[in-house]
Amino acid sequence: MANIKSKAIRDSRDIHDLTFYKFAIESLPVAVMTVDPELRITGFNASAEEVTGYSKEETVGQHCGKILNGELCKINCPLRTILNHRESVVRTESIIYNKFGEIVPIRQHAAGLLNEDGKLIGGLEAFVDISHSKFLEREKASLISMFAHDMKSPLISIQGFVLRLLQNAVEIDEEMRKKYLKIIKLEASKLESLIDGFLEYSRLQTGKLNFNFTATSLDKELIEIYETYQAKGSQKGILFELQNAETLPIIEADSKYLKRVFSNLLDNALKYSGEKGLITITTQHADQYITVKIKDRGSGIDSKDLPYIFDPFYQGYGEKRGKGYGLGLAVVKAIVDGHGGKIFVESESGKGSVFTVVLPKAKKPEKHMSSNG
Ligand code: ADP
């Protein structure tokens, strides 16, 4: 009787364990596929369905190579290595093709499945989609190479003039020496502003830059900025107008960085406006948001450039190309994102551009934290 009872308890524990493992594997955020010794699929969890695009029903009984269609399937299948060579675990990174023929980079672990007697009865492959981290790696590499590329031209110029000064020290008169030194100073300050811009952008991206959120009067900040730009614009015959019909409510923001947002946008509006242009700053507020629009009647942005202008180092193909480093709008977007806001642009070549900044009245911590990574 006691034996029957303890067997019943063992059986119910086994069933409990089995249900637990089935449930755990099914809900893992990692794709899991099991195969028999002939590499035919015996199990396929929900994450595997998500990564490959196939349903469990479509895969069970199929040869795993037919479903994963991966670069290693034919030449160096990790599961075959496990089953043929009895290796315990194989870890690799490779690519597979999903049901729709799209490439999916994955990190995979393959292991043998043993029964209670230690006999190999199949294999298990766990894999995760690493497209996002691969994308970030590529982004990082391309950012660094663009940065290095932009650093080269001022550096080459500095090197050239220093060499001339060193090699022809005797022939160079005082006036020439001063001219060369001025060029070196200018190129060095270009380098400094590129490095500062890049460091600021990368700090904003990695969240190393902490915003100091305080009660901020955007009206006050915008009036100060407007007065500064009125003076700057008058040198070029460009007029600024500030249309702030209603008083804006106080918002939680980092006023120093918001100033940066509007200065960068107004610098661009000024840079891309012709002589005697008009630049309008308009403010509005609704329930939860404040909107600031900056409108210029300048060169406008080509529709081919529009999707990319907020990307770091991107410069449009206008006549002012090369006058900056393409970091201004990337910094603007990073700051606006850090405030839980949004930035939009509408533009037409030859007619001008409107940049719209939408800011929440109250700080949105979740958004700020997520952009801080
Ligand atoms: P840049 O240093 O080149 O001005 P930004 O990041 O500030 O870099 O701007 C990226 C690109 O967006 C510019 O090269 C330009 O083509 C375009 N752009 C930005 N603002 C304006 C504007 N107000 N009018 C026309 N083009 C603009």
Side-chain angles (χ1 to χ4, degrees):
M1 185 67 182
N3 265 347
I4 293 173
K5 204 173 164 193
S6 66
K7 185 175 181 313
I9 291 171
R10 243 194 357 259
D11 283 352
S12 88
R13 264 203 207 128
D14 286 349
I15 290 168
H16 175 265
D17 283 355
L18 213 66
T19 320
F20 170 78
Y21 285 120
K22 243 181 126 177
F23 178 75
I25 286 180
E26 194 50 36
S27 38
L28 274 179
V30 174
V32 177
M33 174 184 81
T34 51
V35 294
D36 67 15
E38 273 75 48
L39 297 177
R40 274 189 303 265
I41 298 174
T42 52
F44 209 70
N45 76 351
S47 295
E49 292 184 323
E50 206 179 300
V51 176
T52 62
Y54 288 103
S55 68
K56 185 177 184 165
E57 291 70 36
E58 286 174 293
T59 61
V60 171
Q62 299 279 353
H63 190 275
C64 65
K66 197 172 155 209
I67 297 297
L68 293 191
N69 198 11
E71 63 174 353
L72 296 180
C73 289
K74 290 202 179 79
I75 45 159
N76 199 7
C77 166
L79 282 169
R80 207 190 307 274
T81 311
I82 296 277
L83 294 170
N84 292 352
H85 305 291
R86 294 195 144 257
E87 282 186 31
S88 53
V89 183
V90 174
R91 292 187 180 88
T92 71
E93 263 186 27
S94 73
I95 56 158
I96 58 168
Y97 288 85
N98 68 13
K99 185 177 174 181
F100 316 102
E102 295 156 344
I103 293 179
V104 184
I106 57 163
R107 183 171 304 121
Q108 58 195 155
H109 283 208
L113 280 179
L114 308 176
N115 70 7
E116 277 180 359
D117 310 321
K119 191 170 164 249
L120 195 62
I121 53 162
L124 174 147
E125 186 160 308
F127 50 100
V128 280
D129 177 349
I130 53 168
S131 323
H132 187 63
S133 54
K134 287 281 165 197
F135 167 77
L136 291 181
E137 269 174 33
R138 279 199 306 277
E139 280 260 285
K140 204 165 119 195
S142 95
L143 259 188
I144 291 170
S145 85
M146 282 189 279
F147 175 57
H149 175 268
D150 281 358
M151 278 181 75
K152 260 203 126 146
S153 111
L155 265 180
I156 288 173
S157 168
I158 291 174
Q159 241 177 358
F161 284 102
V162 169
L163 262 182
R164 272 194 227 179
L165 282 171
L166 285 174
Q167 285 173 349
N168 311 315
V170 192
E171 297 117 69
I172 295 172
D173 62 26
E174 196 51 31
E175 200 185 329
M176 212 49 152
R177 187 187 320 277
K178 271 195 186 143
K179 192 179 155 195
Y180 287 177
L181 286 173
K182 268 189 189 158
I183 297 174
I184 293 171
K185 189 167 171 260
L186 185 78
E187 295 295 327
S189 72
K190 275 192 201 167
L191 258 185
E192 191 184 11
S193 82
L194 168 63
I195 293 168
D196 285 349
F198 183 70
L199 283 181
E200 182 178 38
Y201 173 74
S202 53
R203 276 193 219 115
L204 280 163
Q205 282 304 87
T206 53
K208 291 214 176 89
L209 203 148
N210 285 325
F211 289 113
N212 180 19
F213 282 86
T214 55
T216 300
S217 159
L218 214 52
D219 277 331
K220 181 176 151 274
E221 303 297 339
L222 284 172
I223 288 172
E224 274 178 27
I225 294 172
Y226 163 71
E227 282 168 359
T228 314
Y229 278 85
Q230 242 188 346
K232 275 194 189 180
S234 65
Q235 296 159 11
K236 235 181 128 183
I238 291 175
L239 281 179
F240 278 83
E241 58 178 4
L242 177 60
Q243 297 182 343
N244 50 350
E246 331 160 80
T247 307
L248 295 177
I250 301 291
I251 61 167
E252 280 181 70
D254 184 318
S255 55
K256 190 176 121 223
Y257 278 101
L258 279 192
K259 260 194 187 146
R260 196 61 210 284
V261 164
F262 298 116
S263 321
N264 281 9
L265 292 175
L266 289 170
D267 276 338
N268 279 348
L270 205 56
K271 181 155 93 179
Y272 297 100
S273 284
E275 300 261 310
K276 301 197 173 59
L278 172 67
I279 295 168
T280 316
I281 309 165
T282 318
T283 64
Q284 273 173 349
H285 75 97
D287 279 356
Q288 294 178 31
Y289 294 96
I290 285 181
T291 307
V292 181
K293 281 183 192 282
I294 292 180
K295 175 175 176 162
D296 67 61
R297 283 88 176 159
S299 61
I301 304 168
D302 196 292
S303 58
K304 287 200 287 304
D305 292 323
L306 263 185
Y308 310 109
I309 56 164
F310 294 103
D311 292 352
F313 293 108
Y314 189 85
Q315 292 194 283
Y317 280 85
E319 58 189 65
K320 302 271 163 56
R321 185 179 169 80
K323 294 249 163 111
Y325 291 106
L327 281 170
L329 289 182
V331 165
V332 164
K333 186 169 182 327
I335 298 174
V336 173
D337 284 350
H339 279 73
K342 291 254 179 287
I343 178 155
F344 308 99
V345 58
E346 297 152 78
S347 188
E348 208 180 316
S349 253
K351 296 213 167 147
S353 315
V354 184
F355 283 85
T356 305
V357 177
V358 182
L359 293 168
K361 290 179 188 170
K363 181 178 130 192
K364 285 195 175 163
E366 337 75 58
K367 179 83 191 195
H368 177 52
M369 277 167 73
S370 75
S371 74
N372 281 352

